[in-house]
Amino acid sequence: MAKPRSSWLCQQCGHIEPRWVGRCSACGEFGTFVEEMAPSTAPGPSARAGSARAVTALADVAVTDGLRFPTGIREFDTVLGGGLVRGSVVLIGGEPGIGKSTLLLQAAGSLGSRGVEVLYVCGEESVQQVRSRADRVGARAGIALLPEVDASVIEATVLAERPAVVIVDSIQTLFDPGLDGVPGSVGQVRATAARLVRLAKTHDVTLIVVGHVTKEGSIAGPRVLEHVVDTVLYFEGDSDHAFRIVRAAKNRFGSVAEVGIFEMTEEGLAEVAQPSTALLAGRAGGVSGSIVMPTMEGSRSLLVEVQALVTPSYLQMPRRLSVGIDTARVLQALAILERRAAIPLGSHDVYVSVAGGVRVSEPAVDLPLSLAIASALRDRAIGAGWVAFGEVGLTGDIRGVPHTQPRIREAARMGFTDVLAPKSAKGASSGASVTGVATIGEAVRTTLG
Ligand code: TYD
Ligand code: MG
């Protein structure tokens, strides 16, 4: 009989080595390897010949309706692509304290009140804590609690109780008794997740799994779970701000373009009817280093304020700090301003931020970002009626971006009078006039004179 073989797994990136090593050759981390038993029956390529099965013509597969059911929380349903799909597995990631448990408890309450049986596995909190949170968010009927971290017990309980939806909070607390390794290690996370996914698929249970993500953006070290689940949702925003955006990173049953927009309140997460209003609340007009941008979140446009602060630098290497915008974008904007608009920033520290804790990753942020920096450097305010969007090319040209019409409409709806946009931007709106610009120099002259 073959000896059970073990392999060593990097807890950071999931890289596998046949023996222990001090430093991972894949991610460069030190001391991250943990031993894991390889399956004893790992078949080689030629171990066993399989027998053929009858195939099914795609066209003959019956289309079943009614597989999808709404949770009743509109923004959550939107990002899911219209609700939960029976037998699917959803992973919800996000930093600790961002609101994952809150959202799921609210979803559980809503599902419960619609007669859908929910089993809430609370591995992190006591039943009393869950109860008091449930009181706060108004979740009552139809939720069964299971304070358990042993995956085999959870599996057996699900088979005995047969709930329609199982919520596991969180995957990092679970452990498989048949495996070495502490809860939260890659091996355990992978094994318990695989076990629960199999359970969901074979018994048509809908499974929602919480996974904590570190600042660096990894779930349990690597993103080991993303492949095995059907849908991956990430919470964005930071716990210091009320705003939360839930974004789909993967969705086998829907589009990844949609997002859910929430606000953390005293009574849990609330849907935000007017995100632009909320995001712009507290904005002081007539200040240098600030401009509003209509950004796209899914099919919706929402207005965010892009801010910059530029100060003389006393450092050899001037400081560049960015919150909410990729630093690479900021560095590129600075280089383009310097070379294409004759706005030198080499001896200044530059800080940029998107107010409200929102992240903007689309290229359309280039133009407002550059204008905010130019405005901050010159200490001259851009007119309070302006919004801007557009990608800035390396030659300083302003390039077209998608969805110009909804952006212009949202700006006009929120009372902005002037839209600075790429030349190619089509679309007009009563109340706001659109000024097309071809270069970054022209954009700076238009808004800052
Ligand atoms: P939580 O859902 O526990 O975060 P996670 O499960 O992602 O770790 O959210 C906790 C935060 O939300 C905490 O800082 C308190 C806050 N909160 C509210 O502001 N209002 C509420 O009604 C609830 C339940 C939580
Ligand atoms: Mg939690």
Side-chain angles (χ1 to χ4, degrees), residues 169-396:
D169 188 1
S170 67
I171 192 73
Q172 274 100 350
T173 58
L174 300 195
F175 77 96
D176 191 319
L179 219 92
D180 288 337
V182 293
S185 63
V186 176
Q188 285 288 6
V189 165
R190 239 195 341 213
T192 51
R195 194 163 179 161
L196 292 175
V197 168
R198 212 177 316 119
L199 177 72
K201 298 289 170 193
T202 43
H203 297 281
D204 230 8
V205 179
T206 303
L207 176 67
I208 309 179
V209 182
V210 171
H212 290 295
V213 178
T214 60
K215 284 264 185 223
E216 292 73 44
S218 52
I219 293 183
R223 302 192 139 169
V224 286
L225 293 177
E226 288 190 353
H227 325 288
V228 298
V229 302
D230 299 306
T231 303
V232 181
L233 306 180
Y234 281 108
F235 255 95
E236 279 178 21
D238 59 80
S239 24
D240 304 332
H241 287 94
F243 255 96
R244 303 285 186 276
I245 290 179
V246 180
R247 199 185 294 278
K250 161 181 175 178
N251 196 350
R252 277 187 191 144
F253 305 111
S255 145
V256 290
E258 290 304 334
V259 297
I261 303 174
F262 297 94
E263 189 176 7
M264 185 60 94
T265 69
E266 285 295 303
E267 284 94 39
L269 288 161
E271 293 159 2
V272 184
Q274 299 279 359
S276 296
T277 313
L279 276 173
L280 294 181
R283 175 173 187 251
V287 182
S288 68
S290 156
I291 187 161
V292 170
M293 166 201 187
T295 183
M296 295 304 295
E297 287 295 356
S299 53
R300 285 176 287 192
S301 177
L302 94 133
L303 300 186
V304 295
E305 182 187 359
V306 179
Q307 298 178 329
L309 178 66
V310 175
T311 57
S313 182
Y314 303 102
L315 303 167
Q316 196 109 57
M317 285 266 284
R319 190 167 285 162
R320 276 87 179 83
L321 270 181
S322 170
V323 177
I325 302 177
D326 191 18
T327 309
R329 283 222 108 77
V330 178
L331 296 179
Q332 183 174 311
L334 294 174
I336 294 169
L337 278 172
E338 173 138 12
R339 292 292 298 195
R340 307 293 181 186
I343 299 176
L345 290 140
S347 53
H348 287 84
D349 291 334
V350 178
Y351 304 85
V352 301
S353 140
V354 179
V358 179
R359 265 204 82 75
V360 184
S361 49
E362 58 164 348
V365 76
D366 289 351
L367 182 57
L369 168 66
S370 307
L371 291 175
I373 295 169
S375 158
L377 178 74
R378 298 196 179 165
D379 198 16
R380 193 176 305 163
I382 296 170
W386 280 101
V387 301
F389 65 89
E391 181 176 358
V392 182
L394 291 180
T395 57

Side-chain angles (χ1 to χ4, degrees), residues 95-102 133 136-137 212 264-268:
E95 285 172 27
I98 196 90
K100 301 181 292 296
S101 306
T102 306
R133 190 203 302 255
R136 226 170 126 177
V137 303
H212 290 295
M264 185 60 94
T265 69
E266 285 295 303
E267 284 94 39

